[in-house]
Amino acid sequence: MADKPRIPGATPAVAAKLEKLGLIRQADLVLHLPLRFEDETRVTPVADAMPGVPAQFDVTVVSSEIAYRPRRQLVCRAGDDSGTLLLRFLNFYPSQQKLLQPGARLRVFGEPRGGFWGTELVHPRFRVLHGDEALAEALTPVYPTTAGLGQGTLRRLIERALAEADLSETLPAPIVERFQLADFAASVHALHAPPPGLGPDALAAAQRPAWRRIAFDELLAQQISLRQAYAARRARGAPALAGDSALTDRLLELLPFRLTGAQERVWREIAADLAAPHPMQRLLQGDVGSGKTVVAALAMLRAVESGYQAALMAPTEILAEQHHRKLAAWLAPLGIEVAWLSGSQRKKEKQEAIGKVGAGETVLAVGTHALIEEGVEFARLGLAIVDEQHRFGVRQRLALKQKGGESHQLAMSATPIPRTLAMSYYADLDVSVLDELPPGRTPVVTKLVGEARRAEIVARVRRLCDEGQQAYWVCPLIEESEALQLKTAEETYAHLCAELPELKIGLVHGRLKPDAKAATMAAFAANEIQLLVATTVIEVGVDVPNASLMVIEHAERFGLAQLHQLRGRVGRGAAESACILLYAQPLSETARARLRIIYENADGFEIARQDLHLRGPGEFIGARQSGMPLLRFADLEDAALVDAARGAAEELLRRWPEHAERHRARWLGGRAELLKA
Ligand code: ADP
Ligand code: MG
């Protein structure tokens, strides 16, 4: 990269700070929009100061002294004809103290608040007045910034960018007209420098068309870049996996059940992708228990019957182990061996598995991250599947795909992506949805129970296990400390053992050795353990149909997706199932809202939609680890705008590709590296 400054007027030190804010080119500054404005266009008489309303005052210092209680601080009394107020500085330089001598005339800006000694301004911005000084003509924007980068510098650079950068229209007139978009240049000017004198509501109303334009543009740039990525992938080659159905047909015959209509449809979609000579990138979504594993097994067999290998990666040992067990059982009658790779496995076993996979002797592999470690090479990987894909970062997903050059990729997730998210962040994926549960399931009854009634719940567990059924007891989540989490789990286990001496009780948590963990899970699956006390390690994928009761202690501490996943562990057999959410009083507002949502909804999509609403998209998709640039201005709840941008992107790429490219470059040009990651 050339080291000449790309932002005119910025020193290298300033440029480094700007880069932290994602501002690399002068054009990026244009899209760095103010958080709010301060009104320095007028002076407010001291008597009119309103608590909480930032304002500017012209005052003369009356007294100035250092106070020591409650801590060292500089306290000035200053006033105008109408009254006086206190200026309070907790950190100050001797030079500042010198400026604040009695008699000094100041122009101060700050947020008044009521104090014991009357109105005060804490840490106001101030400057000494020499004679009559003109007021600002425009509102003063306040920009998001980073340590060491002052508002003054940012303002100066942004003002210059507004004058020098290319603000020309990127969109062709028909698009601007059809979606009734405000002009781009006018919009950024309106957002950086709105006219003074408007109240907050009037200002918001005046800026609304400009915000809509910016949000539309941002969504449009995202759509364009995702579609370009999609097209680039289609242009690459991958082996066409169009095998003869010999193995897949056998598996379907051997299964103890028939595929649901949804499973059949989804399998057809995947098979069609696999048969094409370019890499599939498909997301298989299905609520917990919808039967994704068997679809994965079919896809893996299709790779095998086409002469290729397939790999399945899961985020936890428990889940990977369970997949391995299930696939090995399904595929043994077909004479197919499934290699196992995990972090905790003995070195010798691992080397052996790696050797066989590398030589192409073993055609299927299941495992954890160990699958993507250095040294694991596939002879001819045709398909890579990632289960519970949201648990992995983008980099890990890519690493598995790259293990075999260009292979097909299938990601599976039980965390449904709300429609608008799927349309935006996931627009470069093809999506298949399992929207039907296998027959014979009874809906899970959810109950909210105060902790005071814990003894009743313990009695219920006893009765249920007496009748031959099984239960999970999920320990309180303690996010801050893993050590404390472990301790709590062990205490919960000890308590329940004392309360239910006649039951066989097991404990699983994250710190357990993988062998011990697997042994406990196997014992639970075989009903040798009746009550399984567990941390959230059982959250994903665990499948024991005879378990019909799930108790979650301190349910108020869990996230919605987590609760839904946990609840999905029961209701997998024919027995009437229940999920009991024990909660401690008092409940916070958000905890109450979360519990209500989980209580009122059984459908994962609806829960995810409400979760998105509660938490916002950033947290929802875990963007920090995904490396995807977040939308800064657009609101994904505005489905109409997301729809509009999607349609516009499609049309732009088809009819006006140069416009599309220019538009993408304006928004994402400086971030190209990120998008490629
Ligand atoms: P998930 O989508 O949550 O990964 P699984 O693949 O673990 O779901 O399937 C849940 C359970 O349903 C498993 O015990 C599986 O064998 C069973 N199952 C899958 N498909 C069917 C079907 N079509 N009919 C009956 N049971 C099925
Ligand atoms: Mg699963």
Side-chain angles (χ1 to χ4, degrees):
M1 202 165 76
D3 40 12
K4 96 177 156 36
R6 290 220 265 164
I7 296 187
T11 63
V14 166
K17 301 277 182 207
L18 291 171
E19 200 175 330
K20 276 195 182 165
L21 296 170
L23 307 173
I24 292 161
R25 310 161 302 165
Q26 192 176 41
D28 297 335
L29 288 167
V30 171
L31 297 170
H32 193 62
L33 297 175
L35 295 169
R36 60 192 162 84
F37 295 92
E38 290 179 346
D39 188 352
E40 295 178 290
T41 65
R42 52 193 170 149
V43 168
T44 304
V46 167
D48 295 347
M50 300 257 287
V53 180
Q56 178 163 259
F57 307 94
D58 280 356
V59 291
T60 304
V61 176
V62 181
S63 68
S64 171
E65 60 181 34
I66 293 179
Y68 287 90
R69 263 188 299 245
R71 52 177 280 201
R72 187 166 179 274
Q73 53 185 279
L74 178 62
V75 181
C76 284
R77 180 163 289 281
D80 61 11
D81 297 342
S82 71
T84 65
L85 41 68
L86 284 188
L87 315 178
R88 210 183 270 284
F89 300 88
L90 299 172
N91 297 303
F92 57 95
Y93 297 109
S95 59
Q96 288 176 313
Q97 186 186 356
K98 228 166 158 180
L99 293 175
L100 297 167
Q101 290 306 314
R105 289 189 54 232
L106 309 174
R107 180 161 288 166
V108 298
F109 189 96
E111 185 178 315
R113 61 177 209 198
F116 186 74
W117 307 106
T119 303
E120 55 180 46
L121 305 179
V122 178
H123 270 285
R125 198 161 67 235
F126 74 92
R127 123 185 109 78
V128 176
L129 288 175
H130 307 282
D132 275 340
E133 283 189 31
L135 289 161
E137 277 171 21
L139 293 176
T140 312
V142 179
Y143 292 104
T145 189
T146 182
L149 180 63
Q151 289 292 331
T153 309
L154 259 177
R155 272 179 213 135
R156 188 172 47 76
L157 292 171
I158 290 172
E159 214 165 285
R160 182 164 167 185
L162 283 169
E164 292 177 0
D166 174 17
L167 304 183
S168 64
E169 185 55 78
T170 51
L171 304 182
I175 295 279
V176 172
E177 276 160 33
R178 174 141 23 103
F179 296 105
Q180 300 187 343
L181 300 171
D183 176 67
F184 176 75
S187 294
V188 289
H189 280 293
L191 294 174
H192 284 286
L198 301 175
D201 292 344
L203 178 62
Q207 289 190 327
R208 197 160 294 132
W211 276 123
R212 180 170 173 275
R213 169 68 203 247
I214 294 300
F216 179 89
D217 276 19
E218 182 179 43
L219 288 167
L220 182 65
Q222 185 191 44
Q223 292 289 328
I224 290 171
S225 96
L226 289 170
R227 273 161 192 273
Q228 286 174 338
Y230 184 88
R233 211 172 50 234
R234 304 279 289 192
R236 292 202 307 262
L241 305 178
D244 61 2
S245 303
L247 295 172
T248 39
D249 285 349
R250 283 290 314 280
L251 176 63
L252 289 172
E253 280 165 26
L254 288 169
L255 284 175
F257 50 76
R258 288 177 50 116
L259 295 189
T260 63
Q263 282 169 322
E264 266 176 28
R265 188 193 69 237
V266 163
W267 166 227
R268 271 200 306 277
E269 289 167 0
I270 292 170
D273 276 8
L274 291 176
H278 42 74
M280 163 170 86
Q281 186 133 320
R282 187 171 282 275
L283 176 65
L284 170 55
Q285 282 200 315
D287 213 341
V288 290
S290 59
K292 294 183 287 295
T293 318
V294 67
V295 176
L298 286 166
M300 291 174 89
L301 283 182
R302 175 52 51 86
V304 175
E305 63 200 9
S306 311
Y308 283 83
Q309 292 171 298
L312 170 61
M313 179 164 78
T316 66
E317 293 245 351
I318 287 190
L319 186 53
E321 158 75 31
Q322 181 179 285
H323 280 329
H324 182 253
R325 210 173 338 116
K326 194 162 230 170
L327 285 175
W330 279 343
L331 303 185
L334 305 182
I336 294 178
E337 190 193 338
V338 185
W340 166 246
L341 271 171
S342 88
S344 64
Q345 169 176 42
R346 271 186 220 97
K347 231 194 176 126
K348 190 160 153 277
E349 269 172 49
K350 194 173 193 169
Q351 282 315 325
E352 202 180 303
I354 291 175
K356 282 185 164 180
V357 166
E361 280 169 43
T362 315
V363 287
L364 296 183
V366 174
T368 58
H369 302 84
L371 275 175
I372 53 172
E373 271 165 18
E374 290 258 339
V376 183
E377 298 294 339
F378 290 83
R380 42 177 205 291
L381 186 64
L383 169 67
I385 303 182
V386 179
D387 194 17
E388 306 294 344
Q389 61 95 28
H390 57 287
R391 293 303 191 90
F392 291 102
V394 171
R395 245 163 269 281
Q396 292 167 319
R397 277 178 253 160
L398 283 177
L400 178 58
K401 197 173 82 171
Q402 283 158 359
K403 278 293 170 193
E406 285 300 351
S407 57
H408 298 275
Q409 211 190 10
L410 178 66
M412 306 199 290
S413 178
T415 301
I417 303 168
R419 198 179 79 90
T420 52
L421 254 189
M423 273 173 12
S424 55
Y425 286 100
Y426 292 86
D428 66 333
L429 293 181
D430 293 305
V431 180
S432 291
V433 181
L434 281 178
D435 49 8
E436 181 186 347
L437 293 180
R441 302 275 169 86
T442 45
V444 180
V445 178
T446 301
K447 289 198 168 140
L448 291 172
V449 177
E451 215 174 32
R453 290 171 51 203
R454 188 174 177 284
E456 274 172 50
I457 306 306
V458 171
R460 176 162 176 176
V461 170
R462 177 183 294 123
R463 271 200 312 279
L464 176 117
C465 291
D466 273 353
E467 287 162 15
Q469 292 173 34
Q470 293 169 274
Y472 298 94
W473 191 291
V474 177
C475 302
L477 179 68
I478 298 169
E479 275 191 337
E480 305 79 42
S481 151
E482 210 193 325
L484 211 56
Q485 169 84 56
L486 180 60
K487 184 163 165 276
T488 312
E490 280 166 348
E491 281 170 8
T492 308
Y493 174 68
H495 262 124
L496 287 166
C497 286
E499 287 166 301
L500 297 165
E502 69 279 29
L503 294 191
K504 284 168 285 183
I505 306 181
L507 170 66
V508 282
H509 54 71
R511 279 307 199 62
L512 225 51
K513 285 256 158 45
D515 282 357
K517 218 186 279 177
T520 307
M521 291 310 298
F524 188 60
N527 200 1
E528 286 153 19
I529 286 175
Q530 297 166 288
L531 173 62
L532 185 66
V533 181
T535 58
T536 50
V537 296
I538 60 151
E539 173 190 337
V540 287
V542 170
D543 181 34
V544 178
N546 192 47
S548 60
L549 178 66
M550 163 77 51
V551 181
I552 303 175
E553 241 186 301
H554 277 288
E556 77 279 1
R557 296 187 193 163
F558 290 82
L560 273 178
Q562 247 174 346
L563 289 174
H564 181 62
Q565 286 274 338
L566 285 168
R567 181 170 59 182
R569 300 303 116 223
V570 293
R572 299 181 154 234
E576 183 111 345
S577 294
C579 175
I580 293 175
L581 305 173
L582 282 172
Y583 62 89
Q585 298 275 23
L587 282 175
S588 73
E589 275 301 311
T590 41
R592 189 182 302 275
R594 275 205 302 269
L595 291 180
R596 167 163 312 147
I597 291 170
I598 207 79
Y599 176 72
E600 287 176 354
N601 296 282
D603 173 9
F605 274 91
E606 182 55 23
I607 291 170
R609 198 186 62 74
Q610 301 203 26
D611 201 18
L612 176 66
H613 178 74
L614 275 184
R615 292 197 296 164
E619 284 216 47
F620 192 92
I621 61 171
R624 259 160 315 193
Q625 63 151 0
S626 78
M628 251 183 298
L630 273 183
L631 292 169
R632 289 177 289 162
F633 309 116
D635 178 358
L636 284 183
E637 294 198 28
D638 189 346
L641 202 65
V642 178
D643 265 333
R646 189 165 71 144
E650 190 268 320
E651 191 173 344
L652 219 56
L653 282 166
R654 187 161 42 80
R655 295 178 59 189
W656 299 283
E658 296 90 49
H659 284 77
E661 182 46 36
R662 233 161 45 85
H663 188 81
R664 191 198 61 79
R666 167 175 284 163
W667 280 86
L668 301 168
R671 298 170 183 249
E673 292 88 355
L674 254 183
L675 269 178
K676 269 192 236 123

